Amino acid sequence: MSKTALIIVDLQNDYFQGGKWELEGTEAAATKASDLLMCFRENGLPVVHVRHEFPTTDAPFFVPNSDGARVHPSVQEMDGEPVVLKHQINSFRDTNLKAILDDLTVDSVLICGAMSHMCIDAVTRAANDFDYKCTIAHDACATLALEFNGITVPANQVHAAFMAALGFAYARVASTDELLTEITQQ
């Protein structure tokens, strides 16, 4: 029987409307992440929050000790829920995330948050490399449009491409509703 931890990555104020680095669909993703968070809490399942801060105050967003770097109220941690502070894209790099997951004796992780093409991609690949069974709640993740070689790639296509790639070999990719149904039927 597997034990799963929910990892909520970087759903911080700067990614929301009015923030310094607005993503597309952050509010909708946070609503889904909040649904997962409530379900995990109600079922006594472990939750780990990840919060990104850049190491210096000249950062474009997630400035240390700023309101923008705070976790959004919709997915705010409760007392006793671990919060990992990271300064890198990969939530495992130079953090205690692996030690926390080991202490929780989990073998599976359910990942959600932002940005699909950066931190969600990195944490999923790293978790897989550490032999965790990975699942991503695709509709509880957000990203933004990207530009490459003069071509603007819309956010929904960026997100779809990364979910497709991760779903190919690194993780199960499923909707929040599907995952909530599975959790409540256990």
Side-chain angles (χ1 to χ4, degrees):
M1 184 78 175
S2 69
K3 182 177 180 186
T4 302
L6 174 64
I7 302 176
I8 303 174
V9 180
D10 299 351
L11 285 179
Q12 295 165 245
N13 292 330
D14 272 343
Y15 280 160
F16 286 78
Q17 195 169 42
K20 288 185 173 184
W21 201 264
E22 287 183 38
L23 305 182
E24 292 185 34
T26 312
E27 288 78 9
T31 297
K32 295 293 188 178
S34 178
D35 292 345
L36 289 167
L37 177 60
M38 291 291 120
C39 182
F40 268 68
R41 287 174 176 164
E42 289 167 3
N43 287 280
L45 298 170
V47 176
V48 179
H49 302 265
V50 176
R51 190 172 66 81
H52 193 153
E53 281 188 0
F54 284 95
T56 64
T57 56
D58 63 346
F61 57 98
F62 295 164
V63 173
N65 301 310
S66 69
D67 183 58
R70 287 190 184 89
V71 171
H72 192 265
S74 64
V75 291
Q76 187 68 47
E77 70 275 359
M78 289 178 43
D79 287 342
E81 292 176 346
V83 179
V84 173
L85 177 63
K86 68 177 177 120
H87 302 293
Q88 307 289 336
I89 294 167
N90 179 348
S91 299
F92 286 96
R93 184 174 171 195
D94 302 327
T95 72
N96 61 342
L97 178 57
K98 176 82 166 75
I100 289 169
L101 295 174
D102 288 347
D103 287 345
L104 292 169
T105 65
V106 301
D107 57 7
S108 300
V109 291
L110 171 52
I111 299 165
C112 63
M115 293 185 285
S116 304
H117 71 283
M118 294 293 291
C119 298
I120 298 303
D121 178 64
V123 72
T124 302
R125 291 172 188 266
N128 180 277
D129 287 346
F130 283 123
D131 291 325
Y132 294 105
K133 180 180 174 190
C134 299
T135 301
I136 302 170
H138 67 80
D139 54 355
C141 297
T143 197
L144 45 68
L146 296 176
E147 187 275 330
F148 175 73
N149 205 22
I151 300 169
T152 298
V153 182
N156 65 336
Q157 291 179 18
V158 170
H159 178 75
F162 275 82
M163 294 300 109
L166 291 169
F168 181 76
Y170 284 94
R172 175 180 175 223
V173 179
S175 72
T176 296
D177 289 344
E178 183 180 356
L179 296 166
L180 289 171
T181 298
E182 291 172 7
I183 293 165
T184 56
Q185 291 179 350
Q186 289 182 359

